[in-house]
Amino acid sequence: MCIFCDIVEKKIPSKVVYEDDQVLAMLDINPLSKGHTVILPKKHVDSLLESDEETVLACAKVAHLLSKHICEKLNADGCNLLVNSHESAGQSVNHMHFHVIPRYKNDAVIVLNEPAPSIDLDEVLETIKY
Ligand code: AMP
Ligand code: ZN
């Protein structure tokens, strides 16, 4: 019942950019920019917030490798690495994935919004300081 698990099992075709024992990377079917790639673990985990560390690190390693590789091959000027976790953050496929979004000078890609108003930084820091 998970489209990315079906892709890992090759029940659904995809444009595979990279594959190893733990990770698959494919071109995003609705790219935000040329070379937009999605990196996912072969094992199903719902999102970053549910994932074990090993699975996140396996994806992060490939995200680092492919960020550099894709930018170099496509002459991108930079890239965004993005992980949406849960619906409130824009996650539409509930199988953890990292987006690598190559960026080109003057492209019109919108990734992040304006800053939120009226957030007390000291209060937040007191709550989340680790
Ligand atoms: P998110 O909104 O962060 O959950 O991202 C899900 C991404 O998966 C979107 O950018 C979709 O375009 C992409 N996507 C969904 N189905 C497929 C598919 N079959 N092959 C490749 N990418 C897909
Ligand atoms: Zn899955």
Side-chain angles (χ1 to χ4, degrees):
M1 281 302 289
C2 167
I3 188 171
F4 281 5
C5 283
D6 285 347
I7 286 171
V8 167
E9 290 168 24
K10 314 286 190 210
K11 291 179 188 161
I12 296 176
S14 67
K15 298 197 185 302
V16 176
V17 174
Y18 172 95
E19 189 169 10
D20 64 27
D21 287 351
Q22 282 181 282
V23 176
L24 183 144
M26 63 184 173
L27 290 181
D28 194 293
I29 204 165
N30 285 312
L32 293 175
S33 69
K34 185 176 171 186
H36 181 174
T37 296
V38 175
I39 296 150
L40 51 127
K42 290 190 168 176
K43 170 177 111 173
H44 182 95
V45 285
D46 284 349
S47 86
L48 185 84
L49 298 177
E50 288 79 26
S51 183
D52 59 280
E53 186 181 65
E54 186 194 344
T55 305
V56 171
L57 292 180
C59 291
K61 195 173 169 189
V62 175
H64 179 226
L65 177 80
L66 290 184
S67 293
K68 294 193 291 181
H69 175 74
I70 293 167
C71 286
E72 191 182 312
K73 288 288 183 182
L74 294 178
N75 292 316
D77 299 302
C79 74
N80 293 105
L81 178 60
L82 181 68
V83 186
N84 297 327
S85 304
H86 293 185
E87 197 179 345
S88 61
Q91 185 177 8
S92 62
V93 177
N94 293 327
H95 179 133
M96 181 176 74
H97 50 282
F98 289 30
H99 296 260
V100 171
I101 306 167
R103 298 300 301 271
Y104 304 90
K105 277 195 182 76
N106 304 318
D107 69 28
V109 177
I110 299 170
V111 174
L112 296 173
N113 291 324
E114 295 292 309
S118 326
I119 290 179
D120 183 334
L121 295 185
D122 290 327
E123 186 192 320
V124 174
L125 184 61
E126 200 176 307
T127 309
I128 70 172
K129 192 162 182 183
Y130 206 77

